[in-house]
Amino acid sequence: MKSAPTAPNPARAAPHDLEIGAAGALTAEGVLHELGVTLDGLTTAEVAGRSARYGPNAVSSHRARLVPVLWHQLRSPLLVLLMVAAVASSFVGERGDAVIIGVIVAVSVGLGFVNEYRAEKAAEALHSRIRHETVVIRDGHPRSTDVTELVPGDVVELKLGDVVPADLRLLDVTGLECDESVLTGESLPQEKDTAAVPEGAAPAELSGCALMGTVVHAGSATGVVVSTGARTGFGAIAAGLSTHQLDTEFQVGLRKFSMLLVYVAGALTTSIFAVNVVLHKPILDALLFSLAIAVGITPQLLPAVVSTSLAAGSRRMSRRKVLVKRLVCIEDLGNVDVLFTDKTGTLTLGRVDYMRAVPAPGGDPDDVLRRGLLCTETTAAVGGNPLDRALWTSPGSVAQRAALAGHTTLGVLPFDHERRMVSVVVRDPAGHTVLVTKGAPETVLDRCTGVPPEARTALAAEFAAGNRVVAVATRPFPGGPPAPADEQGLTLLGFLVFLDPPKHDAARSLRRLGDLGIAVKVVTGDNPAVAAKVCHDLGLGDGAALTGTELDALDDARLADAITRTTVFARVSPEHKARIVRVQRQSGGGVAFLGDGVNDALALHAADVGISVDSATDVAKDAADVILLEKDLDVLADGVTEGRRIFANTIKYVLMGTSSNFGNMFSAAGASLFLTFLPMLPSQILLNNLLYDTGQLTIPTDNVDEEQLRRPSHWDIGFIRRFMIFFGPLSSVFDFVTFGVMLWVFHSGPDQFRSGWFVESLATQTLVIFAIRTRRIPFFRSHPSLPLTLGALGVVTVGALLPATPLAAALGFSPLPGGFFAALAGMVLGYLALIEAGKRIFYRTAGAPPTGPRPYSHRRHLRRRAAYFSTVERAGAPPEHDTGGRPTTAT
């Protein structure tokens, strides 16, 4: 253990700004002097002053801001060009068209703005419920405070599993090791001390410093905050990644899809404009028409559909007792295909009951119980671990408590996950002093002499029955505080047997997760035989458990292979848990870890999705991305299902856009080749797109087929491109049929032609959702939601009535003959039938969107960690002051 530095003169000097590299080159005393602080920490007044100077210790902020959300709707270059063209048209006398285009664009932008702003507000409310706290010494006393409230000069305490809350110069170290992989990519933890390093040392060489965003892998320490927020190395990297706090694969897919449509729109716009100019049509009309085509093929409300889906998903998950820290965690949950979980409280009731004492041959069960009651880190039924609490509250202990009177505890050697034992030195009323050791039977028996074979047989029988067992042993001891070296030469007294039965519904929950394509693997510190018995009873397989000792003998490649064949990992340490998770992540796929204890914190940080419960330790809840308000695998399955539902419904919108919008715009390009007038006015194209998109805002409510929920799905731009090329021309077939009907059956002029195509294109591209939304036969084997059905039918009705309303003349429409609607009904039915036939051919030849595992990047993991250091921005505060960099928004 490194000794703490002597406190400097309490007369406070003005603090100097330090970088962590410079602080690492100074002694601990020198850093305290430079920062104007003592080991008693800052005063409340000093904290307030430094907070005003440095701002929050945050690298991102969560606040729904009107202007950025509005800008997000307006930043489309195509939209800007369209507005410029509309302004230009007003100067050449086409003011009516300019007004109509402006109104339609405003309504479209407003619709997207309202939905996205509501989603931002939902994310802000979600984040305001989450606090990440650290222990800081202020006014000479330790207290818990939010990590975003730290300032340079704060003296902070670190313990196992903590995320280092700022750049710290270490003052006092006890076996401290930090996992710095989030910054350096180095998988091995780095040992820390308090010694100064040469000036100019690289961050990875700052052994006397703990860096923001890294995780305490072992030991404990005290350090002084040198830098906060974006002034730290971690903060600078996180703030520079993007204006969004997290880019998931889902969001990357959205961007790639949008770029695909930009290329398609660019090609169509250029060709249509060139054709119209060659055919000597007015250049301004040709420009407006071309730009409207580009806007028409762009899914303007796709961000709103995604945001609405995520916001609605977070509300539904909250009702299902699942709290996500950020909206995008819902998508991450949907991508999970491997779940590592602890056993106690998840697969078992979590209510540990003391059953009986089993003495060694010739021993007394009451003596085993008494020694077990004495050998605790606490002296009552409160606090301590669940086994000690069960022991103290059991009926059998009541009769023994009187016999404990007069015993004095002289020293305690606490439990740790390496020794898996606790030892106490006790003096009885007669003055005899003994060492009592209690812990995992395997480790205790290894330290005993002369263990009878009958004792080992009795222990094996208890393990085979699935019971939890603690061994109790003693030896004479001269007194004084015990050390690990003293836990030798023990005499076995016997065993304390506990029962933690499986949950009655755990087997059903496991089957449900299996049906979702999630492999559940148990990671526990319990005995291998006990863990295997519980898993066997719950239907998780009969394979042998892999122990921590066996795991140490495997390199990462062999461990990755063993993970695929192993269901139970037993007698594992916190480091083992984190390594198992890390190795599985490197194999690809979404990895979740469910845990609730301090010993689970490292694995929670290492997983793609860390999951904890509301009753968990603060360290575990801080490390988690998702909090279950009830420790139930059914609740977790609900969350996974919701994530996959959101992805499936978003893909429906995407496929709609490729199958119908592309076809309609392709038809417009073809029609301009032989018509002497524009097939649809720019304002009509925009109105068509607006009505269509409005109807699609109900897609997030849609039902999802069971087979779409069985495996995680992800983006494949190649699949979307094939879908567009295959189904786009099918849509165009009926557009050209409509052209023929309007020209040769009804002998329509320009206004009636445009009216007929407007109604037909809106009806076909809107109603095709019923075929696109499922691979099954629609309505018979797959039922759409009521809001989706009403939304689609409502949009088609509005479109059909528009040419007969007083607005028709202003919009360039004219009434349609009654015979048109009979033809329209036939074309819609024929189109849907053709799409159904096309689905069967396409899915047999082109396949489905890819499912299964996908790799997760180191950069993504860094962004997820950055969300730990985020704050709900105060209204009126400038974003630059809050974050130390560019403002960020929750997505």
Side-chain angles (χ1 to χ4, degrees), residues 199-504:
E199 191 168 353
E205 299 170 349
L206 295 174
S207 59
C209 303
L211 304 180
M212 182 186 197
T214 62
V215 180
V216 177
H217 182 271
S220 60
T222 301
V224 61
V225 175
V226 175
S227 302
T228 58
R231 290 170 292 277
T232 66
F234 177 88
I237 295 172
L241 287 174
S242 73
T243 57
H244 288 284
Q245 61 170 306
L246 178 68
D247 273 349
T248 65
E249 295 294 322
F250 188 88
Q251 293 166 317
V252 171
L254 286 179
R255 284 203 302 272
K256 289 181 178 179
F257 171 69
S258 298
M259 287 306 300
L260 170 66
L261 291 188
V262 165
Y263 295 141
V264 173
L268 280 177
T269 301
T270 304
S271 59
I272 291 172
F273 179 72
V275 167
N276 280 275
V277 170
V278 169
L279 295 177
H280 305 293
K281 294 177 182 177
I283 291 181
L284 183 59
D285 285 351
L287 176 62
L288 281 170
F289 181 68
S290 301
L291 290 174
I293 290 289
V295 173
I297 199 174
T298 305
Q300 294 169 319
L301 291 188
L302 181 57
V305 169
V306 175
S307 298
T308 303
S309 295
L310 292 174
S314 72
R315 291 190 291 269
R316 284 194 295 269
M317 292 177 70
S318 181
R319 289 194 294 269
R320 294 181 177 186
K321 302 182 179 180
V322 180
L323 175 64
V324 292
K325 290 187 176 180
R326 295 171 302 284
L327 292 180
V328 291
C329 293
I330 301 173
E331 302 159 8
D332 293 335
L333 261 183
N335 292 325
V336 167
D337 52 25
V338 177
L339 169 67
F340 294 100
T341 178
D342 61 356
K343 177 175 65 68
T344 304
T346 306
L347 303 181
T348 64
L349 290 177
R351 188 190 70 245
V352 181
D353 295 324
Y354 169 69
M355 296 174 62
R356 60 182 175 272
V358 178
D364 179 8
D366 289 342
D367 187 39
V368 178
L369 177 56
R370 283 193 297 270
R371 300 292 185 176
L373 289 168
L374 287 169
C375 188
T376 58
E377 296 179 51
T378 58
T379 58
V382 295
N385 61 60
L387 295 178
D388 282 345
R389 290 197 298 270
L391 196 62
W392 273 93
T393 57
S394 67
S397 71
V398 175
Q400 299 297 327
R401 288 180 189 174
L404 302 181
H407 287 77
T408 304
T409 300
L410 303 179
V412 178
L413 184 60
F415 179 91
D416 66 50
H417 294 284
E418 294 297 325
R419 293 166 36 254
R420 299 203 296 275
M421 295 183 299
V422 58
S423 293
V424 299
V425 177
V426 179
R427 184 172 59 212
D428 64 21
H432 300 122
T433 305
V434 296
L435 176 74
V436 184
T437 298
K438 183 176 70 178
E442 302 94 321
T443 54
V444 173
L445 264 59
D446 284 345
R447 289 162 172 77
C448 290
T449 59
V451 178
E454 296 88 346
R456 296 188 184 273
T457 302
L459 176 62
E462 297 294 348
F463 283 156
N467 297 326
R468 300 183 68 175
V469 183
V470 171
V472 181
T474 64
R475 80 172 179 89
F477 196 75
D486 298 322
E487 296 172 324
Q488 300 290 339
L490 303 171
T491 300
L492 177 68
L493 290 183
F495 307 106
L496 301 171
V497 182
F498 300 83
L499 176 66
D500 183 14
K503 288 183 177 179
H504 67 278

Side-chain angles (χ1 to χ4, degrees), residues 519-834:
V520 179
K521 299 179 183 293
V522 177
V523 184
T524 178
D526 210 344
N527 177 269
V530 175
K533 175 66 165 56
V534 171
C535 293
H536 169 76
D537 292 345
L538 295 175
L540 272 181
D542 299 320
L546 185 68
T547 67
T549 302
E550 294 167 336
L551 191 149
D552 287 333
L554 303 176
D555 59 22
D556 284 357
R558 292 167 61 199
L559 177 58
D561 180 62
I563 290 174
T564 63
R565 298 179 281 102
T566 305
T567 301
V568 181
F569 300 85
R571 289 296 190 220
V572 290
S573 67
E575 292 78 11
H576 289 140
K577 295 179 181 181
R579 184 186 173 207
I580 290 168
V581 170
R582 186 177 64 251
V583 169
Q584 179 61 32
R585 282 185 65 243
Q586 293 170 352
S587 301
V591 179
F593 184 89
L594 171 58
D596 60 0
V598 173
N599 59 323
D600 296 318
L602 296 178
L604 287 166
H605 286 303
D608 293 308
V609 185
I611 306 168
S612 194
V613 293
D614 196 39
S615 59
T617 62
D618 289 341
V619 171
K621 286 193 287 187
D622 279 351
D625 304 293
V626 177
I627 305 295
L628 305 183
L629 302 182
E630 183 177 313
K631 195 169 185 181
D632 188 339
L633 291 180
D634 254 349
V635 174
L636 178 58
D638 289 340
V640 172
T641 301
E642 194 60 48
R644 294 181 184 178
R645 187 188 310 280
I646 289 171
F647 185 89
N649 281 335
T650 303
I651 287 294
K652 290 175 187 178
Y653 180 87
V654 169
L655 297 183
M656 284 276 291
T658 56
S659 62
S660 54
N661 281 16
F662 176 74
N664 286 339
M665 300 310 103
F666 185 77
S667 301
S672 63
L673 294 175
F674 63 86
L675 291 177
T676 57
F677 53 86
L678 292 178
M680 200 180 290
L681 297 177
S683 59
Q684 293 169 345
I685 292 176
L686 295 175
L687 178 61
N688 183 297
N689 199 43
L690 174 64
L691 290 174
Y692 163 75
D693 273 342
T694 302
Q696 304 319 301
L697 285 176
T698 58
I699 284 181
T701 70
D702 192 25
N703 303 320
V704 176
D705 295 340
E706 183 182 348
E707 59 267 21
Q708 291 180 278
L709 303 176
R710 288 177 183 163
R711 294 288 185 276
S713 300
H714 54 91
W715 288 93
D716 180 7
I717 298 302
F719 174 85
I720 295 173
R721 188 186 303 113
R722 294 192 299 273
F723 195 96
M724 178 175 66
I725 294 172
F726 186 91
F727 286 96
L730 295 184
S731 173
S732 294
V733 168
F734 286 88
D735 289 334
F736 285 109
V737 170
T738 302
F739 297 162
V741 169
M742 300 307 298
L743 291 175
W744 300 321
V745 176
F746 298 111
H747 307 289
S748 301
D751 286 352
Q752 193 177 75
F753 178 95
R754 293 164 180 153
S755 302
W757 188 36
F758 178 89
V759 172
E760 180 271 338
S761 67
L762 183 62
T764 52
Q765 72 176 346
T766 300
L767 296 178
V768 77
I769 182 61
F770 297 118
I772 294 300
R773 60 172 295 278
T774 178
R775 293 182 64 176
R776 300 176 177 180
I777 300 175
F779 297 106
F780 294 100
R781 297 187 59 235
S782 179
H783 303 284
S785 69
L786 182 61
L788 178 65
T789 303
L790 295 178
L793 295 179
V795 166
V796 173
T797 302
V798 170
L801 294 177
L802 267 179
T805 65
L807 294 173
L811 295 172
F813 293 135
S814 64
L816 292 164
F820 168 80
F821 293 100
L824 175 65
M827 286 187 289
V828 168
L829 291 175
Y831 176 54
L832 296 180
L834 184 60

